[in-house]
Amino acid sequence: MRLVINNVVLFVGILCLYLSFSPPINAADGNNPLVAQACEKVKAKDLCISSLMAEHASKSADLAMLALISIKVASNNGTNTSFYIKKTLDTKKLEPAVEQNFQDCEDNYISATQQLDGAVSSLVSKNYKDTKMFLESAIDDAITCDNGLRKMPGNQLELPHRNIMFRQLCINALDVVLFLTTS
């Protein structure tokens, strides 16, 4: 009898230890249903859902937190793209026209990441009008970079693809903020 009790205690102890280190389980599949709702009317729905769900904090986030996460995802992407531009300018010999486009995009990305910082601050203070304005400015910066890249000879470098992704992440963030303000 004592052996059975010891085994039960050992089993319960192991089970408690396992459950304490395993991630929380939501009703169906561990996903936050608000993510699908927030991304429902977004043009790039799959990108919206995948980028939000890639962030651990989204699993239990409310709509305001999802809006913040979507801005942070865009900001992180913009920062990484800015580093890519700088590294490319520093390490590759580019044609003069391509180099000028990269330099112009570098300026656009500096501006865009500053705009996204402003969007975060505005969102945190619940100033949704300014949040929208900052996001629209970041999108405009991405469009300006894109316009220069379309004129670029070759277009074989990675920047055009990165810029499209950044622009779409900013648009997604704007759409999530708009969903927040109408909910």
Side-chain angles (χ1 to χ4, degrees):
M1 179 71 165
R2 188 173 208 168
L3 183 60
V4 171
I5 292 173
N6 285 342
N7 286 341
V8 169
V9 170
L10 180 63
F11 173 77
V12 170
I14 291 172
L15 180 63
C16 289
L17 187 63
Y18 170 77
L19 291 175
S20 69
F21 287 106
S22 64
I25 301 171
N26 276 356
D29 57 3
N31 293 339
N32 183 343
L34 279 178
V35 171
Q37 291 174 6
C39 295
E40 183 64 33
K41 294 190 167 87
V42 171
K43 192 175 191 180
K45 183 177 178 180
D46 290 342
L47 176 62
C48 180
I49 291 170
S50 65
S51 64
L52 287 176
M53 291 310 299
E55 299 296 318
H56 181 71
S58 71
K59 306 245 184 295
S60 60
D62 63 6
L63 204 46
M65 183 58 73
L66 289 175
L68 183 64
I69 292 168
S70 67
I71 296 170
K72 285 305 222 175
V73 166
S75 181
N76 290 342
N77 181 278
T79 299
N80 289 338
T81 301
S82 187
F83 286 138
Y84 165 77
I85 293 168
K86 179 137 182 60
K87 180 180 173 188
T88 301
L89 286 169
D90 290 346
T91 61
K92 292 191 177 180
K93 180 70 177 143
L94 303 171
E95 296 175 31
V98 174
E99 184 173 352
Q100 184 60 55
N101 282 329
F102 267 61
Q103 289 170 344
D104 293 343
C105 284
E106 182 178 34
D107 293 340
N108 295 132
Y109 271 83
I110 290 169
S111 173
T113 54
Q114 290 171 347
Q115 299 302 323
L116 292 173
D117 289 343
V120 167
S121 297
S122 295
L123 183 64
V124 168
S125 64
K126 297 183 180 179
N127 183 344
Y128 302 124
K129 180 181 175 188
D130 282 356
T131 304
K132 182 180 175 236
M133 179 199 64
F134 282 121
L135 287 168
E136 288 170 344
S137 293
I139 293 165
D140 288 344
D141 285 326
I143 290 170
T144 301
C145 175
D146 191 52
N147 289 339
L149 292 173
R150 287 177 196 239
K151 300 175 202 168
M152 188 168 66
N155 232 358
Q156 72 279 7
L157 296 171
E158 189 179 331
L159 184 55
H161 304 292
R162 285 176 171 264
N163 192 61
I164 290 168
M165 176 66 73
F166 174 70
R167 185 180 70 232
Q168 193 56 60
L169 288 170
C170 289
I171 292 169
N172 286 354
L174 177 61
D175 288 344
V176 172
V177 168
L178 292 174
F179 182 75
L180 168 68
T181 62
T182 58
S183 296

